[in-house]
Amino acid sequence: MVKYLIGLLIAIVLMAFVPSKNRPKPIKPDSLVLEVLEELGVDQSAKKPKNITNANARIGEDLVNRGFSKRDNLKKAKRQSKHFVCTSCHNVKREDPDLLSFDPQARLDYVTEKGLPFLQATTLYGAINREHWYNGDYEKKYGDLVKPARNDIREAVQLCAVECAQGRRVKDWELESIMAYLWEIGLQIKDLDLSEKEVDIINDAILNSTNQATAAALITTKYSKESPATFLLPPDDRSAGSGLEGDPKNGRLIYEGSCLHCHYQKRYTFFPLDRGKMSFTHLSRKIPTYSRQSLYQVVRWGTFSKFGKQSYMPRYTEEKMSVQQLADLRAYIDEQAETL
């Protein structure tokens, strides 16, 4: 403790001779993790937005939420996709209570509390902090297209724009605007649940320029570098289902936060759903079938885009909807079909 105090005092004295704008500063709760890592000597240049004329985070935010934007003093750009925007499938706020866990029930509870939808794709909040994208079984769906995207966030954005959103590649100024927005919504220090001792270690490394690699390594143990994806098949016997007893109360949360996010008033789909008896009766009747409107079919296989009808339903991986949650959703639909 004495050595620490002496070291901190020496650092304070030395900093008195450094111009204030260049002095290292202790971390704050809202400090961006990437910027703290830069202070600790970790190169983040591959993720930093490039300085392109009129590219900025507000344009990126527009593109993510609305699918279009415009550069200063120029006309509005063509929509990136006629069918989807990024927030059709991605949240832009934190959605996991534990940044090292991918528990779909913990996520459902968390997003319900926060008033967020329960979606197929991983949140864009903190996406820029990852090192890999389109992980796990997504190679089965996209094949060689994932190779350039797996280790390059810009290529991941382009793959999402063309294949997932069924739109065009984004232009350079749009891409760098999206990168600026993703940087802005990167993980913050307060997301890492650091102990006081860990905060002291990081601040000591920043202020004294010592043990920086150790402090950086500590930070990167607090969140996952990728979002896993495991494809599951529907049950062999769709009438019997998984054999698990479903909880209709939990199923209601999934229906409200997931199904209606896209299907209510045909927001992103040609197939409308609501809270009425007709919707529940139709879904309940289709569950045991091998129709594309069977709950098991669309959740585990999704649907495919086709000419003249490019909007489609992405599949839910095991990490995004568990076998138990699917049983819960069925229980809710069957209950509503019988009681309404």
Side-chain angles (χ1 to χ4, degrees):
M1 184 63 178
V2 174
K3 289 182 178 179
Y4 170 77
L5 292 174
I6 292 173
L8 185 59
L9 180 61
I10 292 173
I12 293 172
V13 172
L14 290 175
M15 282 193 293
F17 296 95
V18 179
S20 59
K21 65 178 181 179
N22 296 327
R23 292 176 190 169
K25 299 176 181 178
I27 59 174
K28 298 179 180 180
D30 62 352
S31 297
L32 289 173
V33 168
L34 290 181
E35 292 180 356
V36 174
L37 289 173
E38 282 189 314
E39 287 282 341
L40 294 170
V42 181
D43 181 17
Q44 300 296 331
S45 58
K47 295 179 180 178
K48 289 185 78 71
K50 298 175 183 176
N51 186 19
I52 292 180
T53 302
N54 294 320
N56 61 69
R58 299 288 67 78
I59 288 176
E61 186 176 18
D62 272 350
L63 288 163
V64 167
N65 288 284
R66 299 196 298 161
F68 61 88
S69 190
K70 66 177 182 179
R71 290 176 288 183
D72 293 342
N73 302 318
L74 296 175
K75 66 180 182 179
K76 183 178 70 176
K78 180 181 177 183
R79 287 187 67 92
Q80 188 277 317
S81 169
K82 297 178 181 179
H83 314 288
F84 300 103
V85 294
C86 299
T87 50
S88 303
C89 296
H90 297 271
N91 280 313
V92 293
K93 296 181 181 294
R94 180 173 175 171
E95 64 181 15
D96 289 293
D98 183 345
L99 296 177
L100 290 169
S101 174
F102 298 93
D103 179 354
Q105 187 57 42
R107 180 181 306 111
L108 177 61
D109 294 338
Y110 187 87
V111 298
T112 300
E113 178 187 347
K114 301 296 183 182
L116 301 173
F118 183 62
L119 302 179
Q120 297 99 324
T122 304
T123 180
L124 296 180
Y125 183 82
I128 202 162
N129 295 88
R130 298 181 212 130
E131 300 297 333
H132 308 289
W133 301 267
Y134 286 95
N135 304 296
D137 286 343
Y138 275 109
E139 192 167 7
K140 297 177 181 178
K141 181 174 182 179
Y142 296 117
D144 288 346
L145 293 176
V146 305
K147 290 182 178 178
R150 184 149 287 178
N151 302 309
D152 185 331
I153 189 170
R154 286 178 173 80
E155 289 299 325
V157 169
Q158 295 289 18
L159 177 55
C160 198
V162 175
E163 296 296 328
C164 302
Q166 287 293 294
R168 60 172 174 80
R169 286 178 65 88
V170 293
K171 300 176 181 179
D172 288 349
W173 65 272
E174 294 173 313
L175 179 58
E176 295 312 315
S177 294
I178 292 171
M179 290 296 296
Y181 178 57
L182 292 179
W183 184 278
E184 192 175 83
I185 62 171
L187 294 178
Q188 298 180 6
I189 285 296
K190 63 186 177 185
D191 295 317
L192 305 187
D193 296 324
L194 296 165
S195 68
E196 289 186 14
K197 180 179 179 180
E198 289 169 331
V199 170
D200 288 342
I201 290 172
I202 296 166
N203 278 331
D204 182 49
I206 291 173
L207 298 174
N208 295 314
S209 300
T210 58
N211 299 317
Q212 292 189 328
T214 300
L218 168 62
I219 290 173
T220 58
T221 63
K222 299 296 182 176
Y223 57 91
S224 178
K225 311 306 181 300
E226 60 186 50
S227 180
T230 306
F231 291 168
L232 296 180
L233 298 178
D236 293 334
D237 184 341
R238 298 191 182 188
S239 294
S242 63
L244 298 174
E245 182 177 354
D247 176 2
K249 291 182 180 179
N250 204 50
R252 180 184 67 80
L253 300 180
I254 299 168
Y255 188 80
E256 295 281 338
S258 185
C259 304
L260 294 187
H261 174 75
C262 287
H263 291 273
Y264 185 65
Q265 297 182 336
K266 299 194 289 188
R267 186 182 186 190
Y268 298 120
T269 174
F270 294 100
F271 179 53
L273 291 174
D274 56 26
R275 300 173 182 86
K277 184 175 180 62
M278 186 177 294
S279 288
F280 291 115
T281 300
H282 178 80
L283 289 174
S284 182
R285 288 175 178 171
K286 290 292 185 179
I287 286 173
T289 72
Y290 288 80
S291 158
R292 63 186 274 134
Q293 293 177 8
S294 165
L295 184 68
Y296 292 124
Q297 180 74 17
V298 295
V299 168
R300 293 310 183 203
W301 283 112
T303 61
F304 297 92
S305 60
K306 55 185 180 181
F307 182 74
K309 198 173 183 180
Q310 285 180 267
S311 63
Y312 69 102
M313 176 167 167
R315 67 203 297 175
Y316 278 84
T317 65
E318 182 179 24
E319 293 80 8
K320 299 304 178 186
M321 189 182 297
S322 69
V323 175
Q324 180 62 61
Q325 286 177 323
L326 188 50
D328 296 343
L329 180 57
R330 177 179 182 174
Y332 175 67
I333 291 170
D334 286 342
E335 177 188 78
Q336 294 301 295
E338 292 173 5
T339 59
L340 287 180

